[in-house]
Amino acid sequence: MSDFTSSFWSWYVIAITVGGLAFCVFILAVASKRTVMADDNSTGHTWDVDLREMNNPLPRWWMGLFILTVVFAVIYLALYPGLGINKGTLNWSSAGQLEAEHAKARQTMAPLYERFMAMGPEALAQDKQAMGIGERLFVNNCAGCHGSDGRGSKSFPNLTDNDWLGGSGVDYIAKTIAEGRQGMMPPMGAAVGTPEDVKNVANYVLSLSGSAHNAIAAQLGKSKFGACAACHGADGKGLQAMGAPNLTDKVWLHGWGEAAVIAMINGGKTNVMPQHASRLSPEQTKVLAAYVWSLSHKGDPKTALAAPQ
């Protein structure tokens, strides 16, 4: 209710709520008064010769339950938000309740995370309990984009390989989880030249990784690749510090083939990973970063996950 932009809507909600309660009380008062409509205590209506509608009062238990319902509603609206922007005497809010539950959970987990904070990434990667928590954190916060197995999909990086944009290592992963990351390639079609030039450059880019390409077009596009070299380097191996991908491997984040590369050159691309600092504590971020790091280091005997006991 606090996001109302006009006090009218607050008063509108108050009027409907109070009016509804007042109407319930009015109906109750009317129903409690029994008016005799015939000498035999009936309403005077008869069907099928001898079927009469009686004028008996409402049962006492029903009346009592109705009154209790109205009283409960009044008390509830006094304690909790429900009348427009009124916060209630308890000052309760769903956001406050959520924060209280998070604080309780953090307090419960504090002793466990205290042990994790003293461990390095290799030790965490071998700790079955830490990796179990890391996996749960990953499923709840990362799997929606990167998949439950961390292998990603088109436009969402595969976290199980060794191809990293912007940096690598546990510290970089933790920083990215906490602060998020934005990767951007500007539209370069105009800088490259004509549509034919763009096509030739696309084939040259494909040739760098040994992908299927038109050799003649690739040769013609080599001289035009200079427009891309500022970020990807003259050799096409990219600049990790800038987040510019290596074009000489076979990792294609946004699609593969001539058409996909042409579309990227002409239209550019902006990819955003949201920050999670507001959702995860520093301790959770460290454990999650170690888990993500372990996904691409499972083949290393020094950092392989401990075998299940």
Side-chain angles (χ1 to χ4, degrees):
M1 297 298 180
S2 60
D3 57 353
F4 282 147
T5 57
S6 171
S7 60
F8 166 79
W9 294 109
S10 177
W11 285 107
Y12 177 78
V13 171
I14 292 173
I16 289 180
T17 304
V18 174
L21 284 174
F23 181 73
C24 288
V25 173
F26 171 75
I27 292 296
L28 180 62
V30 171
S32 65
K33 296 181 179 179
R34 183 166 64 93
T35 303
V36 178
M37 304 179 67
D39 295 338
D40 58 356
N41 193 36
S42 72
T43 62
H45 299 152
T46 304
W47 294 271
D48 294 335
V49 181
D50 59 353
L51 184 61
R52 294 177 299 165
E53 180 184 3
M54 304 305 293
N55 189 35
N56 294 322
L58 292 171
R60 288 182 179 273
W61 67 266
W62 191 96
M63 295 282 286
L65 186 61
F66 198 105
I67 295 172
L68 286 176
T69 301
V70 173
V71 171
F72 173 83
V74 172
I75 295 175
Y76 181 90
L77 291 173
L79 297 176
Y80 295 95
L83 292 175
I85 60 174
N86 177 51
K87 296 182 179 181
T89 57
L90 296 181
N91 201 31
W92 180 91
S93 69
S94 57
Q97 179 73 22
L98 179 62
E99 179 56 35
E101 292 177 0
H102 282 178
K104 183 178 179 181
R106 287 193 293 268
Q107 184 178 8
T108 303
M109 297 292 288
L112 181 61
Y113 279 115
E114 185 176 354
R115 179 172 71 86
F116 294 156
M117 291 298 286
M119 300 169 65
E122 293 89 350
L124 282 173
Q126 296 181 55
D127 189 288
K128 184 177 180 181
Q129 189 176 36
M131 291 298 94
I133 294 175
E135 183 180 19
R136 286 294 89 202
L137 290 171
F138 184 86
V139 170
N140 291 335
N141 296 279
C142 314
C145 294
H146 296 284
S148 60
D149 58 359
R151 295 184 180 276
S153 60
K154 184 178 179 181
S155 296
F156 299 102
N158 180 357
L159 304 178
T160 66
D161 59 18
N162 290 307
D163 190 75
W164 295 89
L165 298 178
S168 60
V170 177
D171 291 340
Y172 171 74
I173 296 172
K175 184 176 185 295
T176 303
I177 292 172
E179 301 176 7
R181 182 178 180 276
Q182 179 170 318
M184 182 189 72
M185 173 177 165
M188 297 295 293
V192 169
T194 66
E196 190 65 23
D197 290 331
V198 171
K199 181 178 179 180
N200 292 338
V201 169
N203 277 276
Y204 176 71
V205 168
L206 291 169
S207 73
L208 293 175
S209 60
S211 301
H213 64 281
N214 183 315
I216 297 176
Q219 189 62 34
L220 294 173
K222 183 176 182 179
S223 62
K224 293 291 185 178
F225 184 75
C228 313
C231 293
H232 295 284
D235 56 1
K237 292 186 176 181
L239 297 174
Q240 191 178 66
M242 296 182 62
N246 179 0
L247 304 178
T248 66
D249 58 21
K250 292 183 180 290
V251 178
W252 300 93
L253 182 58
H254 302 292
W256 173 87
E258 182 183 280
V261 179
I262 290 175
M264 183 66 69
I265 295 173
N266 287 328
K269 188 73 176 181
T270 298
N271 246 28
V272 178
M273 172 174 167
Q275 61 84 19
H276 287 71
S278 59
R279 298 180 52 147
L280 301 173
S281 68
E283 295 81 5
Q284 290 174 317
T285 299
K286 179 176 181 178
V287 174
L288 177 56
Y291 175 78
V292 172
W293 178 81
S294 75
L295 294 177
S296 58
H297 289 74
K298 289 184 178 181
D300 187 340
K302 295 180 180 179
T303 57
L305 295 178
Q309 301 297 320

